[in-house]
Amino acid sequence: MKTHLLLIALCISSAASAADFAAWTHRQTLRITQPGLTRLELEPALLDASRTTGGAPFHDLRVISPAGVETPYIIALPSTMRPASVGAVGFKATLNPTTTVLEFQPPDAFTIQELVLKTNGENFIKAATLEASSNGTTWQTLSSGEVLCRQNGTERLRLPIAAAVWTHFRITIDDTRTSPVAFTGAQIVRELPELRTVPHSATIRSRTEEKGSTRLTLDLGTANVLLGTVRVHTPELVFQRVSTLLNTTHTLFRIQHEGFTAEDLEVSAHQLAAKREVELVIHNGDSPPLRLDRVEVTRHLVPLVFQADTAGDWQLYIGNAQAPEPRYDIAALSDKLRAARARSATASAVEANAEFRKTATAPEVGETGAAIDVSAWSFQRAIQFSEAGVIELELDPAVLARCENDLNDVRIVREGRQVPFLAIKPGLERERAVPFVEVTDPKAPSWSKWDITMPFANFPGSTLLLDSPTPLFRRTLSVTEEIRNEQGRFERILGTANWQRTPGQTPNTFHLPLYTAPRAETIRLSTDNGDNAPLQLTSVRVVYPVVRLLFRVPDTKPLHLCYGNRRAPRTRYDLQLVRREFETATKVAATLGDEEKLPGYEADPLTSGKGSPWLWAALALVVGALLWIVAKMLPKQVEK
């Protein structure tokens, strides 16, 4: 132990900074009464505040001494570097008239929590009795009526026991009703203290039945839970289902055999659940969904170990997505410190860091860009926000409709200068209900047609969501729009898709993707019913993508968003170099004020039907030139 403490002392850097922790969102106070190696189980409320993005879990944690010095630490996460199981020795199988007796020993004295038998046998169910001894002479029955089986992909060859040290095991297998099965060996599963779990409160937030699967959304209460196991409770007597949780696939089952029950209702995850909610999927195939009463969840402890050089109030800071992963020399001693004897510390409740400032999470960049003259732009809207820092502005559909698809003409302007920004597409979508009316076409009596009115022209729709009460149909749907320009009118196809429903099928909403966003304010949905009754629609919604702008300002002086300039050049901001820092910074939400027209306003020639005035001027010049040429070519009239 003294060697460990000496190594820790050598690893601690005296140059650790008494830094400003304004970029950390949460803190917790530790009361340490005696210096020395200290251990603390980090509570879920603290881990929930962690904002690490990649790298080691919880690397934004900082341990600060009463003198304000950053102190090295390790987080002793569960490790399976040591073998979790070893082969049994002295394995012997004795075949009796009605039983098979297996005897074996662990290779060494250690705490044992489970036995796993090995066999090449297939399609069997056996009852078994497990006995153990600490001297090979006196035996104690640990369990009777255990069920061993391998059938239809279901396997139970594990015999869990209460953690203890045993030197001999004996398993008696009942062969009264079926032929004996050849068992070839056994594995001894040792107890690893670092893999122990504790109960964790969780609830079933929602349950969805779809496509032969049950999807359970489990609310863990906090994010960043080091999830251990999830056990389902069901009254079903006999079943077998494949389940998935995070990156784990497991078969859940319960079987009955001669009055005994064998079951495996526990999914072992043993990994970090970064979000507050996780999804457990139970694949039912053609079987009816399981009745589920509740779930039982466990989590791993997350121990913090560090060398406290003085007594007093220490501080833990956490919650900084931009915090670099610390490179402490003490990390090389993780295996030794994991089991080292350490004093426990008491901790206060986790609280918001009173020193936290959103501006402290923003990278240092130039506050303004190049000068700009917005007289060529068509629209502007005031950007409304309450404090300085990294501002996050979600563009509403009205802005997206009036600007170029790649946002080339979008500018943020303050006092005649640009404010550099980043355009972020987080992969989120919004939906909006839109009115529709059925259209009768005497020339196509077998067709159903609907005119759908977008909120405005150029609406950035990506998908139509359709609902129908019709129980049986198969239709090919198409979405078109009419475009008018200087060349006349033409119909443009926006999307096509096949939609079908059979009796008994859940009437889910149909997603009809659009190849391109509509330009017209009214679009048409059509389908040929053939000789069938017309397809009915009850609702139509349009989906559009979320687009956000990120930028930094040092104060709350007025800002404007300018857009609507087809001749605007592409923006080239250096902010792309710090994109990750902007995305992970704590942001200030902003909204947009009312739209104002700028001197460059002009109607959209593709939807207004008027065409560009420059085009009309050019056409007038061409017509004039042609008339002049024709006049020159005509023969002159001779005066008499």
Side-chain angles (χ1 to χ4, degrees), residues 479-532:
V479 184
T480 59
E481 67 177 350
E482 185 180 82
I483 295 295
R484 295 174 294 162
N485 60 17
E486 61 276 0
Q487 298 174 340
R489 300 186 180 191
F490 67 94
E491 190 175 64
R492 184 169 68 148
I493 297 177
L494 299 177
T496 61
N498 296 320
W499 185 12
Q500 77 172 36
R501 181 179 296 160
T502 56
Q505 183 179 348
T506 304
N508 294 326
T509 297
F510 182 67
H511 292 62
L512 198 163
L514 303 179
Y515 306 144
T516 183
R519 295 298 305 272
E521 188 171 350
T522 300
I523 62 177
R524 176 160 291 185
L525 174 66
S526 306
T527 186
D528 186 354
N529 298 303
D531 296 322
N532 302 292

Side-chain angles (χ1 to χ4, degrees), residues 229-232 250-252 263-268 296 298:
T229 60
V230 174
R231 184 179 183 85
V232 299
H250 187 73
T251 300
L252 304 173
E263 63 182 26
D264 187 348
L265 305 179
E266 193 169 270
V267 183
S268 298
E296 189 176 335
T298 67

Side-chain angles (χ1 to χ4, degrees), residues 168-182:
H168 294 75
F169 290 100
R170 184 166 67 195
I171 300 174
T172 303
I173 301 172
D174 186 0
D175 296 329
T176 304
R177 306 212 172 184
T178 57
S179 301
V181 175

Side-chain angles (χ1 to χ4, degrees), residues 549-627:
L549 305 185
L550 300 181
F551 56 96
R552 177 177 176 170
V553 289
D555 49 51
T556 57
K557 291 180 180 179
L559 283 169
H560 285 85
L561 181 77
C562 299
Y563 52 95
N565 180 359
R566 297 184 182 279
R567 293 173 291 277
R570 182 181 297 273
T571 56
R572 296 177 297 171
Y573 296 135
D574 293 334
L575 253 57
Q576 293 292 345
L577 298 173
V578 287
R579 186 182 188 92
R580 178 186 175 277
E581 287 79 358
F582 264 78
E583 290 178 342
T584 57
T586 302
K587 304 168 187 69
V588 177
T591 57
L592 288 170
D594 295 334
E595 186 175 79
E596 306 171 42
K597 291 181 180 178
L598 291 173
Y601 170 76
E602 58 179 337
D604 186 348
L606 295 182
T607 56
S608 66
K610 297 179 180 179
S612 166
W614 295 103
L615 179 61
W616 285 114
L619 288 174
L621 289 174
V622 171
V623 171
L626 288 174
L627 290 175

